[in-house]
Every structure is written in structure tokens, then in C-alpha cells.
Amino acid sequence: MNALEYGIGLDVVVFFHSLYQPVIAWFWQCLHIVGGEKGYLILLPIIYWVVDKKVGIQLFLLIMSGAVIMNIAKLFFARPRPFEAAPELFVQTVHQSGFGLPSGHVWLSLLFVGFLAYTYLNKANITLP
């Protein structure tokens, strides 16, 4: 184990894990589903059919290519999940396999929200400082 497993990232996960309550666990389960493959399988068609076909196609291509890049990066870094790095600190609440770094939920959410923000801020002619 090195600093990636025991650094500030683990401290953040320990903090959120310390807040464990049934209501919060339900909220995290919902975020896990929305930020995972199932969530994108629901959100992307809705965006395509209801919001904008062009944006839906672009998001689909971005998320799929991002998932490929993320899986390659997971193989490259090959870092364990927090409950594997420090089992004495965690109970595995969401059953997930594979490597933990980089986080697929964070990476795909960043691509999804970042793309939508960039697209719709440009359409509204809003510039950020």
C-alpha cells in the first residue's frame, strides 16, 4: 500500500462512511445507481429522445469512450477499493468489483455534467471567469 491508499482520499471516504445512517445509505445507493452504468442507460436515451438528439449522440460517444479510457486507467493504476485497502475502517455497503482508482462514478459524472454544462452555457452565451 502507498500514499494513494492511505492519503487524503481515504480520509474523505472515512469521513463520509462515518456519517452512515439508513437514510444516508439510501441516498448513497441512489447516487451509486445514477452514477453507474444503469443510470447512464436510463439518462442517455431520455436526453436523446426528450432533450436533444445531437446532444444525446455526443454524450453517448463521450461516455462510451470515457468508459474505455477509464477501464484502461484502472488496469494501469490497479489500486484497490477503500474497503480492500483498509478493511478495518469500512464495511462494504455497495458490492462492486474491480479496481478503485480512478473512480468510474467520479470520472463518468465529470464527463456527463461537464459536457452538459459546456454545451448549454455555450448555447446561452454565458462565459465563466
Side-chain angles (χ1 to χ4, degrees), residues 58-74:
Q58 291 172 334
L59 260 175
F60 173 78
L61 294 173
L62 179 67
I63 295 297
M64 291 303 116
S65 60
V68 169
I69 292 168
M70 177 202 55
N71 283 317
I72 292 169
K74 282 183 178 279

mmCIF file with all atom_site columns, all heavy atoms in Angstrom, residues 58-74:
data_model
loop_
_atom_site.group_PDB
_atom_site.id
_atom_site.type_symbol
_atom_site.label_atom_id
_atom_site.label_alt_id
_atom_site.label_comp_id
_atom_site.label_asym_id
_atom_site.label_entity_id
_atom_site.label_seq_id
_atom_site.pdbx_PDB_ins_code
_atom_site.Cartn_x
_atom_site.Cartn_y
_atom_site.Cartn_z
_atom_site.occupancy
_atom_site.B_iso_or_equiv
_atom_site.pdbx_formal_charge
_atom_site.auth_seq_id
_atom_site.auth_comp_id
_atom_site.auth_asym_id
_atom_site.auth_atom_id
_atom_site.pdbx_PDB_model_num
ATOM 1   N N   . GLN A 1 58 ? -23.794 12.849 -28.907 1.00 0.00 ? 58 GLN A N   1
ATOM 2   C CA  . GLN A 1 58 ? -22.473 13.298 -28.443 1.00 0.00 ? 58 GLN A CA  1
ATOM 3   C C   . GLN A 1 58 ? -22.179 12.780 -27.045 1.00 0.00 ? 58 GLN A C   1
ATOM 4   O O   . GLN A 1 58 ? -21.062 12.317 -26.765 1.00 0.00 ? 58 GLN A O   1
ATOM 5   C CB  . GLN A 1 58 ? -22.389 14.826 -28.476 1.00 0.00 ? 58 GLN A CB  1
ATOM 6   C CG  . GLN A 1 58 ? -22.369 15.400 -29.868 1.00 0.00 ? 58 GLN A CG  1
ATOM 7   C CD  . GLN A 1 58 ? -22.485 16.914 -29.873 1.00 0.00 ? 58 GLN A CD  1
ATOM 8   O OE1 . GLN A 1 58 ? -23.030 17.518 -28.946 1.00 0.00 ? 58 GLN A OE1 1
ATOM 9   N NE2 . GLN A 1 58 ? -21.965 17.525 -30.925 1.00 0.00 ? 58 GLN A NE2 1
ATOM 10  N N   . LEU A 1 59 ? -23.169 12.838 -26.162 1.00 0.00 ? 59 LEU A N   1
ATOM 11  C CA  . LEU A 1 59 ? -22.979 12.322 -24.799 1.00 0.00 ? 59 LEU A CA  1
ATOM 12  C C   . LEU A 1 59 ? -22.742 10.825 -24.803 1.00 0.00 ? 59 LEU A C   1
ATOM 13  O O   . LEU A 1 59 ? -21.888 10.331 -24.057 1.00 0.00 ? 59 LEU A O   1
ATOM 14  C CB  . LEU A 1 59 ? -24.207 12.629 -23.945 1.00 0.00 ? 59 LEU A CB  1
ATOM 15  C CG  . LEU A 1 59 ? -24.106 13.816 -23.018 1.00 0.00 ? 59 LEU A CG  1
ATOM 16  C CD1 . LEU A 1 59 ? -25.425 14.066 -22.330 1.00 0.00 ? 59 LEU A CD1 1
ATOM 17  C CD2 . LEU A 1 59 ? -23.000 13.659 -22.018 1.00 0.00 ? 59 LEU A CD2 1
ATOM 18  N N   . PHE A 1 60 ? -23.475 10.097 -25.622 1.00 0.00 ? 60 PHE A N   1
ATOM 19  C CA  . PHE A 1 60 ? -23.286 8.654  -25.722 1.00 0.00 ? 60 PHE A CA  1
ATOM 20  C C   . PHE A 1 60 ? -21.846 8.331  -26.128 1.00 0.00 ? 60 PHE A C   1
ATOM 21  O O   . PHE A 1 60 ? -21.180 7.509  -25.497 1.00 0.00 ? 60 PHE A O   1
ATOM 22  C CB  . PHE A 1 60 ? -24.269 8.049  -26.727 1.00 0.00 ? 60 PHE A CB  1
ATOM 23  C CG  . PHE A 1 60 ? -24.008 6.595  -27.002 1.00 0.00 ? 60 PHE A CG  1
ATOM 24  C CD1 . PHE A 1 60 ? -24.415 5.633  -26.097 1.00 0.00 ? 60 PHE A CD1 1
ATOM 25  C CD2 . PHE A 1 60 ? -23.346 6.198  -28.154 1.00 0.00 ? 60 PHE A CD2 1
ATOM 26  C CE1 . PHE A 1 60 ? -24.169 4.288  -26.338 1.00 0.00 ? 60 PHE A CE1 1
ATOM 27  C CE2 . PHE A 1 60 ? -23.099 4.857  -28.408 1.00 0.00 ? 60 PHE A CE2 1
ATOM 28  C CZ  . PHE A 1 60 ? -23.509 3.900  -27.496 1.00 0.00 ? 60 PHE A CZ  1
ATOM 29  N N   . LEU A 1 61 ? -21.349 8.998  -27.169 1.00 0.00 ? 61 LEU A N   1
ATOM 30  C CA  . LEU A 1 61 ? -19.982 8.754  -27.635 1.00 0.00 ? 61 LEU A CA  1
ATOM 31  C C   . LEU A 1 61 ? -18.954 9.158  -26.574 1.00 0.00 ? 61 LEU A C   1
ATOM 32  O O   . LEU A 1 61 ? -17.960 8.452  -26.371 1.00 0.00 ? 61 LEU A O   1
ATOM 33  C CB  . LEU A 1 61 ? -19.725 9.500  -28.951 1.00 0.00 ? 61 LEU A CB  1
ATOM 34  C CG  . LEU A 1 61 ? -20.550 9.006  -30.144 1.00 0.00 ? 61 LEU A CG  1
ATOM 35  C CD1 . LEU A 1 61 ? -20.349 9.928  -31.344 1.00 0.00 ? 61 LEU A CD1 1
ATOM 36  C CD2 . LEU A 1 61 ? -20.197 7.575  -30.490 1.00 0.00 ? 61 LEU A CD2 1
ATOM 37  N N   . LEU A 1 62 ? -19.199 10.274 -25.894 1.00 0.00 ? 62 LEU A N   1
ATOM 38  C CA  . LEU A 1 62 ? -18.283 10.725 -24.850 1.00 0.00 ? 62 LEU A CA  1
ATOM 39  C C   . LEU A 1 62 ? -18.246 9.742  -23.683 1.00 0.00 ? 62 LEU A C   1
ATOM 40  O O   . LEU A 1 62 ? -17.170 9.359  -23.216 1.00 0.00 ? 62 LEU A O   1
ATOM 41  C CB  . LEU A 1 62 ? -18.692 12.111 -24.352 1.00 0.00 ? 62 LEU A CB  1
ATOM 42  C CG  . LEU A 1 62 ? -17.836 12.700 -23.242 1.00 0.00 ? 62 LEU A CG  1
ATOM 43  C CD1 . LEU A 1 62 ? -16.432 13.009 -23.761 1.00 0.00 ? 62 LEU A CD1 1
ATOM 44  C CD2 . LEU A 1 62 ? -18.480 13.955 -22.686 1.00 0.00 ? 62 LEU A CD2 1
ATOM 45  N N   . ILE A 1 63 ? -19.411 9.303  -23.219 1.00 0.00 ? 63 ILE A N   1
ATOM 46  C CA  . ILE A 1 63 ? -19.471 8.377  -22.086 1.00 0.00 ? 63 ILE A CA  1
ATOM 47  C C   . ILE A 1 63 ? -18.851 7.024  -22.447 1.00 0.00 ? 63 ILE A C   1
ATOM 48  O O   . ILE A 1 63 ? -18.105 6.439  -21.650 1.00 0.00 ? 63 ILE A O   1
ATOM 49  C CB  . ILE A 1 63 ? -20.922 8.211  -21.591 1.00 0.00 ? 63 ILE A CB  1
ATOM 50  C CG1 . ILE A 1 63 ? -21.458 9.531  -21.027 1.00 0.00 ? 63 ILE A CG1 1
ATOM 51  C CG2 . ILE A 1 63 ? -21.051 7.098  -20.565 1.00 0.00 ? 63 ILE A CG2 1
ATOM 52  C CD1 . ILE A 1 63 ? -20.723 10.048 -19.808 1.00 0.00 ? 63 ILE A CD1 1
ATOM 53  N N   . MET A 1 64 ? -19.131 6.527  -23.642 1.00 0.00 ? 64 MET A N   1
ATOM 54  C CA  . MET A 1 64 ? -18.562 5.234  -24.051 1.00 0.00 ? 64 MET A CA  1
ATOM 55  C C   . MET A 1 64 ? -17.043 5.319  -24.186 1.00 0.00 ? 64 MET A C   1
ATOM 56  O O   . MET A 1 64 ? -16.324 4.448  -23.694 1.00 0.00 ? 64 MET A O   1
ATOM 57  C CB  . MET A 1 64 ? -19.180 4.757  -25.365 1.00 0.00 ? 64 MET A CB  1
ATOM 58  C CG  . MET A 1 64 ? -20.626 4.360  -25.281 1.00 0.00 ? 64 MET A CG  1
ATOM 59  S SD  . MET A 1 64 ? -20.921 3.064  -24.061 1.00 0.00 ? 64 MET A SD  1
ATOM 60  C CE  . MET A 1 64 ? -21.950 3.916  -22.907 1.00 0.00 ? 64 MET A CE  1
ATOM 61  N N   . SER A 1 65 ? -16.544 6.358  -24.835 1.00 0.00 ? 65 SER A N   1
ATOM 62  C CA  . SER A 1 65 ? -15.083 6.488  -24.963 1.00 0.00 ? 65 SER A CA  1
ATOM 63  C C   . SER A 1 65 ? -14.454 6.764  -23.599 1.00 0.00 ? 65 SER A C   1
ATOM 64  O O   . SER A 1 65 ? -13.374 6.267  -23.290 1.00 0.00 ? 65 SER A O   1
ATOM 65  C CB  . SER A 1 65 ? -14.713 7.568  -25.981 1.00 0.00 ? 65 SER A CB  1
ATOM 66  O OG  . SER A 1 65 ? -15.229 8.813  -25.596 1.00 0.00 ? 65 SER A OG  1
ATOM 67  N N   . GLY A 1 66 ? -15.149 7.537  -22.752 1.00 0.00 ? 66 GLY A N   1
ATOM 68  C CA  . GLY A 1 66 ? -14.654 7.784  -21.399 1.00 0.00 ? 66 GLY A CA  1
ATOM 69  C C   . GLY A 1 66 ? -14.587 6.512  -20.577 1.00 0.00 ? 66 GLY A C   1
ATOM 70  O O   . GLY A 1 66 ? -13.660 6.311  -19.789 1.00 0.00 ? 66 GLY A O   1
ATOM 71  N N   . ALA A 1 67 ? -15.561 5.622  -20.757 1.00 0.00 ? 67 ALA A N   1
ATOM 72  C CA  . ALA A 1 67 ? -15.561 4.342  -20.032 1.00 0.00 ? 67 ALA A CA  1
ATOM 73  C C   . ALA A 1 67 ? -14.389 3.469  -20.472 1.00 0.00 ? 67 ALA A C   1
ATOM 74  O O   . ALA A 1 67 ? -13.748 2.815  -19.647 1.00 0.00 ? 67 ALA A O   1
ATOM 75  C CB  . ALA A 1 67 ? -16.881 3.614  -20.248 1.00 0.00 ? 67 ALA A CB  1
ATOM 76  N N   . VAL A 1 68 ? -14.084 3.486  -21.764 1.00 0.00 ? 68 VAL A N   1
ATOM 77  C CA  . VAL A 1 68 ? -12.933 2.714  -22.261 1.00 0.00 ? 68 VAL A CA  1
ATOM 78  C C   . VAL A 1 68 ? -11.643 3.261  -21.669 1.00 0.00 ? 68 VAL A C   1
ATOM 79  O O   . VAL A 1 68 ? -10.804 2.511  -21.152 1.00 0.00 ? 68 VAL A O   1
ATOM 80  C CB  . VAL A 1 68 ? -12.891 2.735  -23.808 1.00 0.00 ? 68 VAL A CB  1
ATOM 81  C CG1 . VAL A 1 68 ? -11.578 2.175  -24.326 1.00 0.00 ? 68 VAL A CG1 1
ATOM 82  C CG2 . VAL A 1 68 ? -14.065 1.968  -24.380 1.00 0.00 ? 68 VAL A CG2 1
ATOM 83  N N   . ILE A 1 69 ? -11.480 4.592  -21.703 1.00 0.00 ? 69 ILE A N   1
ATOM 84  C CA  . ILE A 1 69 ? -10.275 5.221  -21.149 1.00 0.00 ? 69 ILE A CA  1
ATOM 85  C C   . ILE A 1 69 ? -10.164 4.934  -19.654 1.00 0.00 ? 69 ILE A C   1
ATOM 86  O O   . ILE A 1 69 ? -9.085  4.617  -19.142 1.00 0.00 ? 69 ILE A O   1
ATOM 87  C CB  . ILE A 1 69 ? -10.282 6.736  -21.424 1.00 0.00 ? 69 ILE A CB  1
ATOM 88  C CG1 . ILE A 1 69 ? -10.112 6.987  -22.921 1.00 0.00 ? 69 ILE A CG1 1
ATOM 89  C CG2 . ILE A 1 69 ? -9.207  7.454  -20.622 1.00 0.00 ? 69 ILE A CG2 1
ATOM 90  C CD1 . ILE A 1 69 ? -10.390 8.406  -23.354 1.00 0.00 ? 69 ILE A CD1 1
ATOM 91  N N   . MET A 1 70 ? -11.292 5.020  -18.939 1.00 0.00 ? 70 MET A N   1
ATOM 92  C CA  . MET A 1 70 ? -11.287 4.765  -17.503 1.00 0.00 ? 70 MET A CA  1
ATOM 93  C C   . MET A 1 70 ? -10.866 3.329  -17.192 1.00 0.00 ? 70 MET A C   1
ATOM 94  O O   . MET A 1 70 ? -10.078 3.080  -16.283 1.00 0.00 ? 70 MET A O   1
ATOM 95  C CB  . MET A 1 70 ? -12.670 5.037  -16.916 1.00 0.00 ? 70 MET A CB  1
ATOM 96  C CG  . MET A 1 70 ? -12.771 4.739  -15.436 1.00 0.00 ? 70 MET A CG  1
ATOM 97  S SD  . MET A 1 70 ? -14.452 4.455  -14.899 1.00 0.00 ? 70 MET A SD  1
ATOM 98  C CE  . MET A 1 70 ? -15.004 3.160  -15.974 1.00 0.00 ? 70 MET A CE  1
ATOM 99  N N   . ASN A 1 71 ? -11.379 2.369  -17.948 1.00 0.00 ? 71 ASN A N   1
ATOM 100 C CA  . ASN A 1 71 ? -11.015 0.973  -17.693 1.00 0.00 ? 71 ASN A CA  1
ATOM 101 C C   . ASN A 1 71 ? -9.548  0.712  -17.995 1.00 0.00 ? 71 ASN A C   1
ATOM 102 O O   . ASN A 1 71 ? -8.903  -0.077 -17.287 1.00 0.00 ? 71 ASN A O   1
ATOM 103 C CB  . ASN A 1 71 ? -11.928 0.045  -18.493 1.00 0.00 ? 71 ASN A CB  1
ATOM 104 C CG  . ASN A 1 71 ? -13.285 -0.074 -17.853 1.00 0.00 ? 71 ASN A CG  1
ATOM 105 O OD1 . ASN A 1 71 ? -13.405 -0.200 -16.638 1.00 0.00 ? 71 ASN A OD1 1
ATOM 106 N ND2 . ASN A 1 71 ? -14.336 -0.006 -18.656 1.00 0.00 ? 71 ASN A ND2 1
ATOM 107 N N   . ILE A 1 72 ? -8.997  1.353  -18.999 1.00 0.00 ? 72 ILE A N   1
ATOM 108 C CA  . ILE A 1 72 ? -7.563  1.238  -19.272 1.00 0.00 ? 72 ILE A CA  1
ATOM 109 C C   . ILE A 1 72 ? -6.770  1.834  -18.115 1.00 0.00 ? 72 ILE A C   1
ATOM 110 O O   . ILE A 1 72 ? -5.784  1.257  -17.646 1.00 0.00 ? 72 ILE A O   1
ATOM 111 C CB  . ILE A 1 72 ? -7.201  1.898  -20.618 1.00 0.00 ? 72 ILE A CB  1
ATOM 112 C CG1 . ILE A 1 72 ? -7.807  1.087  -21.769 1.00 0.00 ? 72 ILE A CG1 1
ATOM 113 C CG2 . ILE A 1 72 ? -5.694  2.034  -20.773 1.00 0.00 ? 72 ILE A CG2 1
ATOM 114 C CD1 . ILE A 1 72 ? -7.741  1.784  -23.114 1.00 0.00 ? 72 ILE A CD1 1
ATOM 115 N N   . ALA A 1 73 ? -7.220  3.003  -17.627 1.00 0.00 ? 73 ALA A N   1
ATOM 116 C CA  . ALA A 1 73 ? -6.541  3.644  -16.496 1.00 0.00 ? 73 ALA A CA  1
ATOM 117 C C   . ALA A 1 73 ? -6.631  2.783  -15.237 1.00 0.00 ? 73 ALA A C   1
ATOM 118 O O   . ALA A 1 73 ? -5.669  2.692  -14.471 1.00 0.00 ? 73 ALA A O   1
ATOM 119 C CB  . ALA A 1 73 ? -7.133  5.029  -16.242 1.00 0.00 ? 73 ALA A CB  1
ATOM 120 N N   . LYS A 1 74 ? -7.769  2.128  -15.008 1.00 0.00 ? 74 LYS A N   1
ATOM 121 C CA  . LYS A 1 74 ? -7.902  1.229  -13.850 1.00 0.00 ? 74 LYS A CA  1
ATOM 122 C C   . LYS A 1 74 ? -6.889  0.090  -13.927 1.00 0.00 ? 74 LYS A C   1
ATOM 123 O O   . LYS A 1 74 ? -6.276  -0.270 -12.923 1.00 0.00 ? 74 LYS A O   1
ATOM 124 C CB  . LYS A 1 74 ? -9.320  0.671  -13.752 1.00 0.00 ? 74 LYS A CB  1
ATOM 125 C CG  . LYS A 1 74 ? -10.330 1.642  -13.173 1.00 0.00 ? 74 LYS A CG  1
ATOM 126 C CD  . LYS A 1 74 ? -11.684 0.973  -13.052 1.00 0.00 ? 74 LYS A CD  1
ATOM 127 C CE  . LYS A 1 74 ? -12.707 1.871  -12.432 1.00 0.00 ? 74 LYS A CE  1
ATOM 128 N NZ  . LYS A 1 74 ? -12.658 1.928  -10.988 1.00 0.00 ? 74 LYS A NZ  1
#
